[in-house]
Amino acid sequence: MKLYRQHEDIREFMKQVISHIQSKEVHHEVRMELESHLEDIITEKMERGVELTAAIQEAISQMGAPDIIGAQFHQVHRPRTDWKLLALIAAFMMFGLVAIFAAQASNGFSAIGIKQVVYVCVGGLLMLAISFGNYTKLAKYSWTLYFVTLFMLIFAIVVGTKINGSSGYLSFGRVGINFISLTPYLFLLSLAGIWTSSPARVNTNSRISPLAWSAWSNLGTVLLPSILILKSHSVTDFVLLFSGSMMMLIVLKKTRKIIITHLSLLLGAILFILLKETYLSRWTAFLNPYEDPQGLNYVLTQSKKTITSGGWWGQGFGTPLATLPEIHSNMMFPFLIYCFGWIAGLLMLMMVILFVFHALQLSSKIQDAYGKAMLSGILTLFVIQFIWPMLMALGWAPLTSFTLPFVSYGGTLVIFQFAAIGLILNVYRRKDMIPSYAKIK
C-alpha cells in the first residue's frame, strides 16, 4: 500500500472519512484498516490488467461514500455516557441528603446538612468536569503521583493533627482534610499506571537490575504505603488499599507469585491488628456479640435495637436518637432504618446490589489495560465501603470507621469520592475510543 498511499485520490478519500471520526486516537487504526482493504482491491484489479489509476478509482468507488463510512466508524468509536451509574449516584446522593438533614434534626448537629449540600455540589461539578477529560494522559504521571502521595502521607503522619478521633488531618486555613483517607484512591490511581506501563520502558529508564525493579514495582509499591497506613492506625484505609490493589492484579492477570506475596502482606497486617489492644477488643466483641452489651458491644447492641425499633415505616424524619453514636457517619445505615423503616433499609440494600452488579458489568466492558485497572481498583473501594457499614450495623462484620459513600456525612472525602466517580465515567466514555494495541492481553 506504500506505493498507493500518496496517491491524491486515496489521500482525499482518507481525509473525508477521517473528518467524520471524533476520536483522534483511532484515526491511525481506521486509516490502516481502510488502506488494507483498498490494497487488496487494487492488487486484484491490477492482476486482471487494470491500470493503476483506474484500479485506485474503482477501488475507492467500490468502498462506498466516504461520509457514510466515516459516520459508521464514528458511531462505533463515539463517546459513551454511563447513565446507569449516574442514576445510581444521583439516587445515593438524594438518599444521603435526606438522611443527613434527618441526623441534623435528630441530634442537633451544627449545619451539617448545608455543609453536605456544598460538598455534594462541588463534588458533582468536579465529577462532570473529570468525566469529559482524557484519563489516558494521567498514565505518564503515575510515578510522580505515587511519590507525591507517599511524601504527603509521611508528612500527614508526622505533623498531621487529630480531629474527631481520626489522625492525619492537614489544615488548609479553616479547612481540615484527612489526607490518610484519600491515600487509597491516590495510590491505586498511580498503581494502575505503574502496573500497566511497558516493562521494557521501565527497564530502560532505570539503572536498577530488572529483578530488583520488578520486586519494587510489584510488591514494594504496595508494601511501603501499607506499612505507613497501618502505622497511622487507619486499618480501614489499609483494607481499601490492599483490596483495590489485589483486584487490579487479578484483572491484569498478574502471576500467582505476586498475588501470593500480597496474601503474605495480608497475614502480616492481620498479625499487626491482633497485637494492637484496640483492634483486638473489636475482634473479641465481633466474635462474642452477646457479651458485655454495655461495654465492648455497646454500639452493636444499640445498632440492633435501633434497627428493630424502626419497624416497616420508621419513627419519622429527625426523630431524636441519643443512644447510638456517630449516626451521621459510620452508623448512618441503622439511623436510616430508624427514621424511615425497614423499607428504606431494603431500598438501600437494593441500590447497593445494583451498584455491585453494575461494577462487574463495567469492568467486563473495558478493554484498555490502564482504564480497566483504574476502574476495577476504584470500584472495589466503593463496593467495600457500601457493604461493610451495612454488615457491621447487623453485627456481621467488625466495627470500623467505614462510612456509606454519598450517604454518610464525609466532609472533603465526599468531594474526592465524586472525583473518583468522574474518573470511572471518563473511562467508560472513552471505552470505544481506545486503539486496539492499548487493550489488555
Side-chain angles (χ1 to χ4, degrees), residues 92 240 330 333 348-349 351-357 379-398 400 402-405:
F92 281 123
L240 293 178
N330 50 334
F333 183 61
M348 187 73 198
L349 177 62
M351 288 164 58
V352 170
I353 291 173
L354 285 175
F355 184 89
V356 173
F357 275 104
L379 285 177
T380 300
L381 302 193
F382 282 113
V383 169
I384 291 174
Q385 291 178 93
F386 273 124
I387 293 177
W388 197 302
M390 299 173 73
L391 294 178
M392 76 180 187
L394 298 167
W396 296 346
T400 66
F402 280 126
T403 59
L404 289 168

Side-chain angles (χ1 to χ4, degrees), residues 280-282 284-285 291-300 399:
L280 183 60
S281 63
R282 290 185 181 182
T284 304
E291 293 184 3
D292 197 11
Q294 296 302 316
L296 285 178
N297 276 309
Y298 174 78
V299 174
L300 175 59
L399 194 64

Side-chain angles (χ1 to χ4, degrees), residues 164-295:
N164 296 328
S166 298
S167 59
Y169 272 83
L170 297 178
S171 297
F172 300 91
R174 300 177 62 181
V175 178
I177 298 176
N178 185 352
F179 185 78
I180 295 176
S181 67
L182 307 183
T183 55
Y185 296 89
L186 295 171
F187 277 127
L188 289 179
L189 181 57
S190 59
L191 288 174
I194 291 170
W195 286 345
T196 54
S197 62
S198 169
R201 182 182 175 184
V202 171
N203 290 335
T204 300
N205 293 337
S206 173
R207 297 179 180 178
I208 308 173
S209 67
L211 183 61
W213 181 259
S214 176
W216 160 246
S217 62
N218 290 313
L219 173 62
T221 48
V222 176
L223 180 63
L224 184 55
S226 295
I227 292 173
L228 292 171
I229 289 174
L230 284 173
K231 181 175 174 54
S232 68
H233 305 290
S234 183
V235 175
T236 54
D237 291 315
F238 167 77
V239 171
L240 293 178
L241 175 60
F242 180 86
S243 304
S245 61
M246 180 62 74
M247 183 56 69
M248 277 191 189
L249 291 172
I250 293 172
V251 300
L252 290 175
K253 301 176 183 176
K254 292 286 185 179
T255 62
R256 292 180 181 179
K257 183 179 178 180
I258 298 174
I259 294 178
I260 291 172
T261 306
H262 280 72
L263 288 176
S264 302
L265 176 61
L266 177 62
L267 293 176
I270 292 174
L271 182 62
F272 171 85
I273 293 169
L274 291 178
L275 291 176
K276 289 290 182 182
E277 186 178 351
T278 304
Y279 301 118
L280 183 60
S281 63
R282 290 185 181 182
W283 276 99
T284 304
F286 171 66
L287 296 174
N288 303 280
Y290 300 105
E291 293 184 3
D292 197 11
Q294 296 302 316

Side-chain angles (χ1 to χ4, degrees), residues 102-115:
Q104 177 177 303
S106 173
N107 273 25
F109 290 113
S110 177
I112 61 172
I114 296 299
K115 290 179 182 176

Side-chain angles (χ1 to χ4, degrees), residues 14 27 31 65 79-81 91 136 160 189 195 219 233 244 251 279 293 300 305 361 378 386 396 398 420 438 440:
M14 291 295 178
H27 283 186
R31 191 185 296 275
R80 311 284 177 178
T81 301
T136 60
L189 181 57
W195 286 345
L219 173 62
H233 305 290
V251 300
Y279 301 118
L300 175 59
K305 286 182 178 178
Q361 288 180 336
I378 293 175
F386 273 124
W396 296 346
I440 191 168

